């Protein structure tokens, strides 16, 4: 099983450049995406698709960065992507769904509920035009086989790879990290469970940038600003910090973590 690390959405925020870290997992019979970044329709119609938050994030919106174009560059086609697993439904994570209209979307039940019934504040982050193609959505509660001792949704319905949805809450109502077991070890895509690795209280496995930098200060503040539950958010940091050293943890947006992981040979 091969895992590719893709950046599907460079953004230029006041705190500096960030990425939209997406995994492309090759299983025996299909491709599975973990998150999807921005999609072609976001590039073409950013105002309608992303609303004001797209401008706040400074999304570059380069067609070559979309998951569909990168899947094609690897020699696959859109129909090979049969499943997309979403850490959450924020606009910078699910814009690519509409480029794979036949793929099933796997998401925590609480997150799907939030996206369907957003509060006034949540309407800024959840952009229903991004799922107006009406995909098949498979929802989960964390009562499956545990992952690393944590409650999880596992296995995923009809996916022939060891993937798990691990609730790491606070950023949104149903935010999860996504665990992927590869032959080379365990990956944990932590989504937006943290923005700057310093909040984990240890050097992240793949990025050691200190907090007292412009980037560190901006993103620790930004994380508080956009979280729906600060207590759960901090509990999530502690959960991630306590994971065994052999778990490779990375967030959706840290460019240093992305650069390190993307430059390594694809994990099998
Ligand atoms: Zn995000």
């Amino acid at each position: 099983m091969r895992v590719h690390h893709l950046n599907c959405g460079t953004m230029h925020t006041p705190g500096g450049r960030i990425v939209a870290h997406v995994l492309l997992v090759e299983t025996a019979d299909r491709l599975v995406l973990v998150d999807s970044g921005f999609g072609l329709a976001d590039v073409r119609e950013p105002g309608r698709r992303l609303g004001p938050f797209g401008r706040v994030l400074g999304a570059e919106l380069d067609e070559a960065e979309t998951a569909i174009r990168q899947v094609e560059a690897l020699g696959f086609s859109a129909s090979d992507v049969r499943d997309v697993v979403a850490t959450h439904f924020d606009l910078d994570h699910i814009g690519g769904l509409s480029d794979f209209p036949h793929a099933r979307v796997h998401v925590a039940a609480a997150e799907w509920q939030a996206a369907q019934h957003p509060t006034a504040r949540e309407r800024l982050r959840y952009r229903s035009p991004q799922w107006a193609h009406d995909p098949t959505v498979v929802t989960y509660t964390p009562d499956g086989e545990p992952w690393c001792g944590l409650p999880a949704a596992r296995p995923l319905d009809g996916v022939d790879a060891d993937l798990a949805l691990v609730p790491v809450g606070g950023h949104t109502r149903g935010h999860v990290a996504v665990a992927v077991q590869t032959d080379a070890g365990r990956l944990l895509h932590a989504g937006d469970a943290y923005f700057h690795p310093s909040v984990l209280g240890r050097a992240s496995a793949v990025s050691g940038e200190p907090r007292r930098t412009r980037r560190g200060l901006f993103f620790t503040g930004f994380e508080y600003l956009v979280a729906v539950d600060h207590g759960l958010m901090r509990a999530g940091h502690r959960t991630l910090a306590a994971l065994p050293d052999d778990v490779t943890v990375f967030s959706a947006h840290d460019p240093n973590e992305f650069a390190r992981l993307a430059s390594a040979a694809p994990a099998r």
Side-chain angles (χ1 to χ4, degrees):
M1 192 178 83
R2 178 178 287 204
V3 178
H4 305 267
H5 294 264
L6 311 178
N7 169 19
C8 298
T10 298
M11 291 164 263
H12 299 277
T13 75
R17 186 182 75 89
I18 59 173
V19 299
H21 197 148
V22 169
L23 298 180
L24 177 67
V25 182
E26 295 182 38
T27 78
D29 73 343
R30 69 187 65 192
L31 299 177
V32 180
L33 284 171
V34 178
D35 277 355
S36 67
F38 295 112
L40 292 175
D42 301 319
V43 173
R44 290 168 188 163
E45 294 184 274
R48 187 179 70 82
R49 290 267 296 200
L50 305 176
F53 219 55
R55 281 195 298 280
V56 171
L57 291 171
E60 196 170 298
L61 300 173
D62 175 359
E63 179 171 332
E65 285 190 342
T66 59
I68 177 68
R69 292 293 179 250
Q70 296 192 67
V71 163
E72 289 166 350
L74 287 165
F76 300 107
S77 64
S79 60
D80 294 323
V81 176
R82 290 168 55 188
D83 298 276
V84 183
V85 185
T87 59
H88 62 301
F89 253 54
D90 273 356
L91 59 92
D92 52 325
H93 295 257
I94 60 147
L97 295 183
S98 49
D99 295 326
F100 308 98
H102 303 297
R104 297 183 309 156
V105 179
H106 304 262
V107 62
E111 187 68 9
W112 181 237
Q113 172 75 12
Q116 297 296 296
H117 304 286
T119 63
R121 187 172 173 227
E122 286 171 333
R123 285 203 178 88
L124 279 174
R125 68 195 314 164
Y126 297 133
R127 300 291 302 173
S128 59
Q130 292 182 316
W131 64 89
H133 62 289
D134 199 19
T136 298
V137 176
V138 187
T139 61
Y140 296 88
T141 50
D143 51 6
E145 189 185 328
W147 179 84
C148 235
L150 300 168
R154 183 190 190 196
L156 300 191
D157 181 57
V159 178
D160 66 337
D162 187 357
L163 272 71
L165 303 188
V166 183
V168 185
H171 178 67
T172 59
R173 286 195 251 163
H175 185 278
V176 296
V178 179
V180 182
Q181 178 71 50
T182 75
D183 297 342
R186 293 183 283 189
L187 298 176
L188 188 68
H189 188 312
D192 291 2
Y194 68 95
F195 282 80
H196 196 260
S198 62
V199 301
L200 300 189
R202 63 166 190 182
S204 131
V206 288
S207 177
E209 187 176 77
R211 186 178 309 188
R212 299 201 71 78
T213 58
R214 176 189 169 91
R215 175 185 293 278
L217 293 170
F218 176 84
F219 283 110
T220 48
F222 181 76
E223 184 178 15
Y224 271 86
L225 192 67
V226 296
V228 298
D229 187 321
H230 295 148
L232 275 179
M233 184 192 88
R234 287 190 295 269
H237 296 165
R238 291 192 292 275
T239 297
L240 296 177
L243 289 171
D245 287 341
D246 69 300
V247 179
T248 300
V249 181
F250 55 93
S251 78
H253 297 306
D254 189 274
N256 300 319
E257 292 176 338
F258 176 77
R260 288 275 297 277
L261 289 166
S263 64
R268 286 183 179 277

